Amino acid sequence: MTFAFSGALYFALSAVVLMVLALLRPKLKRRNVSSLFLWEGLKHDARSRKIHFRQLLDPLLLLQVLSVLLLVAALATPLVSSTRQRLSALAIVIDASASMQTMTENGRTRYELAIDAAKSIVAQNPALRTSVIRFSSLATVLTDGASSRASVTRALDTSEPTWNGNGTIDDMVNALSALGGLSGFDRVVLITDREVSSLPAHVERITVSGGENLGVTGFSVRENPSGQGATAFVEVLNATLTDHDVSLRVSDESAVTSVAVYLPPETGEQVIVPFPTSRGTVFTVALEAEDDLPEDNDRYFALDRPLDLRVRWIGPPNRYLSAALGAVTPFTLVSATEEADITIVHQATLPSSYAGSVFLVNGEVQGVASLGDERERFSLNAVLSAHPLLAGLQPADIRVFSSPSVSLPDDAAIILETDGEPLLATWQTETQEVTLFAARLESTNLPLAVDLPLLIRNVVSRVTRLPATLAYGWTHVGDPVSLLGRGSILGLEDPDQRKIPLSELDMFFFPDAPGLYTLTTDRGVFPLAVNVAPSESTVDVGGSPEAENIVESTDRRYWIDVWPLLVGIVIALLLTELVARKRSVFRLLGSRYT
Amino acid sequence: MDYLLDEVFLRRLGRLQFMTKGRLGGRLSGLHVSPRAGMSVEFADYREYHPGDDIRYVDWNIYGRLEKLLVKSFIHESDLPIYLLIDVSASMQLGTPPKVEYAARLALALAHLGLRSMDRVGIFPFAHRLLASIPPQHGTSHIRRIYQALSTLTAQDETAFERSVMDFLSLTRETGLVLILSDLLFPTGVKDAVARLLYRGDEVAVLQILAPEEIDPSGNETAQIVDVETGRFVTLNLGRTTLESYRERFEKHQAELQSLMDGQRIPLFTIPTTRTLEQVFFEDLREGGIVR
């Protein structure tokens, strides 16, 4: 027997407290007599002493202590293992992560072995309601509990592994919750190729193993700080028990560099490959080796270069404003006929019919927002201090020496004000999203403060997603890939140039195979590199090639919750005590012995 | 404590008077026969004339016939000193009502009866020794003092019966009717004490006052049996067997007590506190020859 919450057993100390309290309770009744000589001769009455001892061991106290102990045991949720199978619902969770596609020595993949094991379990339990879950970083219910045995077998036969990464135990429990939760199954079997720690108490694990693997477990490319060329960083792993001389081929679309690497058993090696003149954005690395999981031998990397912000400037130029904008993001000034991401209106008036995102700096919108006489100002107040436009700013550090009076639309949100006059405000119409900074920059300390680029950043990020900085992380198969920040999406193709259907509202897609995907937007063509998760390359439970490929590493034990039984016994005991007290059963029993 | 006696009971009590088996020596005239011959209507005997005898009691008819001077003597009716020895040891606080309270009421009734019979009544409470006593006096006005003394009786201390009797004997000179009111629940000392009283010539009667639970205890529990006088205790489970053993032991004690009293021709009255005073006087004491 084991306990799911063994910490609750500490409450057993309360039984000690109960006994101490019972002992402290005055137990013996005092009975005064005129003289003891008539009673003293009776104290050696053996039967009386027997009853006396029995009363010291108050049966009702023993009942109470027993009840407390049973209640504490119930709180600890005891589980009793049984080898007998009395099941009604079975869940089979099959690990479908990429490592399960490792070919084993008998010519079958680990996944196929897992399917065989699952079928065996189903065959042993033909009458059970069986649910099958294909489990990786994404869980898929292949059959629910209502399925027939034939449909379960069919689902197992037709199921395929994925190139996804592995999910966590919490993911598995969440997947089971869609089928009624972990407790809804009498038996849960996880078939996987990896060690799993902290497996829930009544989940069995069947391990499949076999196959050898070499793979690239890390691949990254960085542009050189000089701006000329790039450098590739490669990490390669030998997860076998033998030495390997392997060749790495690194490519930047135009040039290919080959590197020979010696890999001792069960070791990794890091390799740096310079591309001094490279201007490419797509890099690949290929490990030329014979192993049982070739899909992690090829890795992809795409430099996610930032896009320029398209800015339409209206009004006289301002070098402080331009410098702050340039510090926030690369930008390009566009003409009135070109499409812009944001319009900056500096000391000018914008027609009310203008559409788009607008940043007014000491500017006006005709008939909507106007500026009046400029006056000397002495104070500044943050009206909406938690507004996103103030993120990172310190309003107390901003000084405004003079600013004009401002007339704003009624629905404008005033964020900063100076001497009661709006300084920073924002509003939205059907065609415009406007942010107004009313004062001239030269009338404030902003040109000299860090708050100006912070304010510009907040304004720009509010109207458009800032272009991504250079990203060095990998995108893994099965993980969501963001499509934002690259303009309006025109199309997406998988590594085999097949179109992936997307709607305008799609912000993510889930790649299902490694390779280079191609995203086409109105701003250009963007490669998206997707790889098998590197954690899949290192999965090996240590099975030798000759060893049996299916290892039942956990006992086939069936855990039975005992706490309802214990609670039932406690209730029965307490009822017995209640009846005993009312009817003085024990008193009657006591008199029988006297 | 309310020791007032019922008026009807007192009126009935007035019809009773103490009986004594022997002739006890009283100093004053009373309703009891005195061993001393004296003037009364009841002829007792003749004796020779001695100088100094009242010539009014010379039987001249005898002198005419026999020429002897004989003096008629008559039975002297003296008052009877009644000594009420009341046990006020701690054991007398037990019972409902407490035995000491019952004893006080009984003593008050006895005193009332004695004083109405022109006897002198004294109160002698005792525990570990004889306590503050009221010497025997006659007269119905004496009842007030007795009442006050009885109403302040408090049960306390251990019992030392024999020593208390010795105190009593040294304090009193006249023989009389000694009424002992006690539970007599002490294993030793009774025999010697009553022997000392009888040796002096006192007429003794024992009124043993017991609480019902002392005669027939009940219970079904584990209890500390505590001697209220000594504080000693035994822990016992009170069950049928135990209580039967107690009853056997109690009956044996009573039998021994009865045997002792019978041997000395001392009437012993065992009176549970549940018994009314009417029952005690008009049944127990009358049938026992203490009153008539």
Side-chain angles (χ1 to χ4, degrees), chain A residues 203-522:
Chain A
V203 176
E204 299 170 38
R205 178 170 61 89
I206 295 177
T207 305
V208 292
S209 64
E212 289 188 324
N213 187 35
L214 293 96
V216 176
T217 53
F219 181 43
S220 179
V221 179
R222 299 191 185 197
E223 289 185 301
N224 292 334
S226 62
Q228 281 282 319
T231 304
F233 302 86
V234 183
E235 186 180 75
V236 61
L237 173 72
N238 174 15
T240 72
L241 301 174
T242 55
D243 297 348
H244 284 275
D245 279 311
V246 296
S247 175
L248 285 174
R249 297 178 73 247
V250 187
S251 163
D252 72 338
E253 295 181 292
S254 57
V256 177
T257 302
S258 292
V259 180
V261 182
Y262 166 71
L263 294 172
E266 296 185 295
T267 54
E269 198 71 47
Q270 292 182 335
V271 178
I272 299 173
V273 181
F275 289 88
T277 57
S278 173
R279 298 187 61 81
T281 57
V282 173
F283 294 80
T284 60
V285 61
L287 171 66
E288 294 181 344
E290 290 288 328
D291 69 342
D292 296 320
L293 183 64
E295 279 72 18
D296 64 353
N297 295 353
D298 296 325
R299 299 296 190 177
Y300 311 92
F301 195 92
L303 281 172
D304 193 1
R305 297 179 188 281
L307 295 174
D308 284 1
L309 184 71
R310 296 171 299 183
V311 178
R312 179 175 297 128
W313 192 287
I314 299 174
N318 183 292
R319 64 194 185 104
Y320 298 115
L321 195 56
S322 297
L325 184 60
V328 170
T329 177
F331 70 95
T332 303
L333 294 175
V334 298
S335 67
T337 57
E338 292 177 291
E339 192 171 343
D341 296 319
I342 189 169
T343 300
I344 295 178
V345 179
H346 176 238
Q347 294 179 348
T349 302
L350 190 72
S352 60
S353 60
Y354 187 87
S357 300
V358 177
F359 183 33
L360 296 173
V361 180
N362 195 223
E364 298 175 307
V365 179
Q366 202 169 36
V368 178
S370 60
L371 304 178
D373 295 337
E374 186 160 314
R375 289 187 182 176
E376 200 173 356
R377 303 297 179 188
F378 300 96
S379 67
L380 185 136
N381 178 38
V383 180
L384 301 173
S385 57
H387 197 279
L389 284 177
L390 295 182
L393 274 76
Q394 294 289 342
D397 293 342
I398 299 174
R399 299 285 180 272
V400 178
F401 309 114
S402 66
S403 75
S405 59
V406 182
S407 171
L408 294 176
D410 293 339
D411 59 347
I414 298 170
I415 300 161
L416 291 176
E417 63 180 18
T418 173
D419 288 354
E421 204 65 43
L423 176 67
L424 180 64
T426 182
W427 67 90
Q428 201 165 5
T429 67
E430 289 183 0
T431 57
Q432 293 177 345
E433 184 171 4
V434 184
T435 303
L436 166 68
F437 185 79
R440 291 182 299 111
L441 287 178
E442 292 79 3
S443 299
T444 70
N445 68 340
L446 284 179
L448 302 175
V450 72
D451 297 286
L452 181 59
L454 289 174
L455 177 63
I456 300 294
R457 181 199 66 184
N458 294 343
V459 171
V460 171
S461 63
R462 196 153 175 262
V463 298
T464 179
R465 174 187 175 273
L466 282 173
T469 55
L470 284 173
Y472 301 104
W474 273 4
T475 299
H476 300 153
V477 180
D479 288 353
V481 177
S482 174
L483 300 174
L484 296 177
R486 297 178 176 90
S488 298
I489 297 169
L490 300 177
L492 178 65
E493 292 179 349
D494 68 9
D496 297 328
Q497 282 78 48
R498 288 177 300 200
K499 285 194 178 299
I500 298 173
L502 292 172
S503 71
E504 288 183 357
L505 297 177
D506 281 342
M507 294 183 291
F508 299 94
F509 89 102
F510 290 85
D512 57 7
L516 284 165
Y517 291 71
T518 305
L519 175 67
T520 306
T521 73
D522 59 344

Side-chain angles (χ1 to χ4, degrees), chain A residues 139-159:
Chain A
T140 307
V141 177
L142 299 180
T143 63
D144 60 20
S147 304
S148 66
R149 183 188 172 194
S151 62
V152 171
T153 306
R154 197 180 315 119
L156 288 170
D157 285 336
T158 56
S159 74

Side-chain angles (χ1 to χ4, degrees), chain A residues 84-107:
Chain A
R84 285 197 310 157
Q85 198 171 1
R86 284 190 310 148
L87 306 175
S88 61
L90 167 69
I92 300 174
V93 183
I94 302 174
D95 184 354
S97 62
S99 63
M100 292 291 283
Q101 302 211 43
T102 304
M103 189 63 71
T104 64
E105 293 69 31
N106 56 16

Side-chain angles (χ1 to χ4, degrees), chain A residues 28-43 45 48 51-52 55 587 591 594, chain B residues 91 94 99 185 214 218 220 222-228 232 236-242 245-246 249:
Chain A
L28 294 180
K29 190 175 177 182
R30 182 186 167 100
R31 188 171 180 139
N32 292 328
V33 296
S34 298
S35 180
L36 214 54
F37 77 98
L38 292 176
W39 297 93
E40 277 177 323
L42 309 179
K43 71 179 179 183
D45 186 330
S48 293
I51 296 301
H52 171 59
Q55 278 196 219
R587 194 169 300 165
S591 66
T594 58
Chain B
S91 65
L94 300 178
K99 290 183 285 183
L185 290 177
E214 291 173 326
S218 61
N220 185 15
T222 298
Q224 271 189 342
I225 310 296
V226 183
D227 185 329
V228 288
R232 292 193 305 118
L236 285 175
N237 179 265
L238 298 180
R240 196 175 58 194
T241 305
T242 317
S245 301
Y246 170 84
R249 193 169 294 261

